[in-house]
Amino acid sequence: MDDISYKGMSSDNIKGLVLALSSSFFIGASFIVKKKGLKKAGSSGVRAGAGGYSYLYEPLWWTGMITMVVGEIANFAAYAFAPAILVTPLGALSIIISAVLAHIILKEKLHIFGILGCILCVVGSITIVLHAPQERQIESVADVWDLATEPGFLFYAAVVMTAVFILIVHYVPEYGQTHIMVYIGVCSLVGSLSVMSVKALGIALKLTFSGMNQFNYSQTWVFIFVVATCVLTQMNYLNKALDTFNTAVVSPIYYVMFTSLTIVASVIMFKDWDRQNPTQIVTEMCGFVTILSGTFLLHRTKDMTDGLSSPTGRLPKHSEDMGFHQEGIPLKGPENL
């Protein structure tokens, strides 16, 4: 017991803890800064939610983007120092930071039950992570490639890419402006593949820094290409979601969907459940139920507002003409999850 406690207080674990906390703060704050930039850009050009890209000329949006990149780098580095069981649950803190800052800075009202919903999301995430299996030992990036090219994961990847194609071609033009799950669905599905590639790239970098160069493998460059493609796609549709819907709803729903699909992808690719007993698996499922309960509570919170919420959860098109600025509208979510 003493030995385990000592390892928990090791210098590397402290570094990982600080990096993970910093990552949550930067990522949570980036949602707010980026939305401020999107609002400013939308006032003088075509809004991102309507297909415009005027935000690319807005310094405030780039500040938010840089803030998010710093947070992601800190999160990536945290895994190099501390175990995933310590780093992963702290990522949920970005939801709380984003919701609190949106309430204070953007004046997006968050009901007390919305706060409770955020807490449930965090509790569910912690439950899952605390019962997560140990990571598989990887000797080279070729080992990761072998896992990624097994029939099970290839089938999952094919289903994800087909779903993303259908969403982008059919549902985005017709329902993107009224249904929050369309934009977030694209981000989350693509994100589950990007995380697997990011993990592969992280393993390659770790092994390279230890003296075993992994950039001699062509698979490493394939993973880099997949990461770049997925990140650009996520950035595009996340911008659309933030510009169209309430930040306090976008952040937790995106987190829940992204985390859930990422865990599914990891279970399929790395066969995590093969190294767990039934009790651990059931406990993880309970964590999922807790997360979904928190998301549902966040969604239903809009019914406790003063009636300004639109049925679809998008920002009212003429809210300023009605005497209400968009920054002051209550928490809203999709009509159907």
Side-chain angles (χ1 to χ4, degrees), residues 16-32 75 86-102 110 115 118-126 129 251-252 255-256 259:
L17 177 62
V18 172
L19 286 168
L21 290 173
S22 301
S23 170
S24 295
F25 175 79
F26 282 117
I27 293 176
S30 71
F31 278 92
I32 309 305
N75 186 63
L86 174 65
V87 177
T88 305
L90 296 179
L93 295 178
S94 61
I95 296 177
I96 306 302
I97 294 171
S98 179
V100 171
L101 291 179
L110 184 63
I115 297 176
C118 289
I119 294 175
L120 285 175
C121 290
V122 174
V123 171
S125 300
I126 293 175
V129 173
S251 298
Y255 172 80
V256 170
T259 303

Side-chain angles (χ1 to χ4, degrees), residues 56-209:
L56 293 176
Y57 302 97
E58 177 54 51
L60 191 59
W61 181 85
W62 281 107
T63 300
M65 196 64 207
I66 292 173
T67 303
M68 175 172 283
V69 171
V70 171
E72 294 295 350
I73 292 175
N75 186 63
F76 184 84
Y79 283 98
F81 292 98
I85 198 170
L86 174 65
V87 177
T88 305
L90 296 179
L93 295 178
S94 61
I95 296 177
I96 306 302
I97 294 171
S98 179
V100 171
L101 291 179
H103 179 79
I104 297 173
I105 298 176
L106 300 180
K107 308 302 180 184
E108 296 180 353
K109 304 303 179 182
L110 184 63
H111 194 276
I112 183 63
F113 288 109
I115 297 176
L116 179 58
C118 289
I119 294 175
L120 285 175
C121 290
V122 174
V123 171
S125 300
I126 293 175
T127 301
I128 293 174
V129 173
L130 288 178
H131 294 83
Q134 295 295 322
E135 291 189 4
R136 179 188 294 267
Q137 294 296 323
I138 303 294
E139 300 296 332
S140 72
V141 72
D143 293 342
V144 183
W145 181 260
D146 291 339
L147 295 172
T149 53
E150 289 188 357
F153 187 75
L154 287 177
F155 176 76
Y156 173 80
V159 170
V160 166
M161 289 187 289
T162 301
V164 169
F165 178 80
I166 293 174
L167 283 172
I168 293 177
V169 173
H170 179 69
Y171 289 97
V172 166
E174 188 172 355
Y175 301 106
Q177 292 290 300
T178 57
H179 293 72
I180 192 173
M181 300 303 289
V182 176
Y183 288 148
I184 296 182
V186 174
C187 293
S188 302
L189 287 166
V190 173
S192 67
L193 296 180
S194 70
V195 169
M196 296 301 101
S197 298
V198 166
K199 186 170 184 178
L201 182 57
I203 292 173
L205 288 173
K206 182 179 180 181
L207 292 173
T208 298
F209 290 147

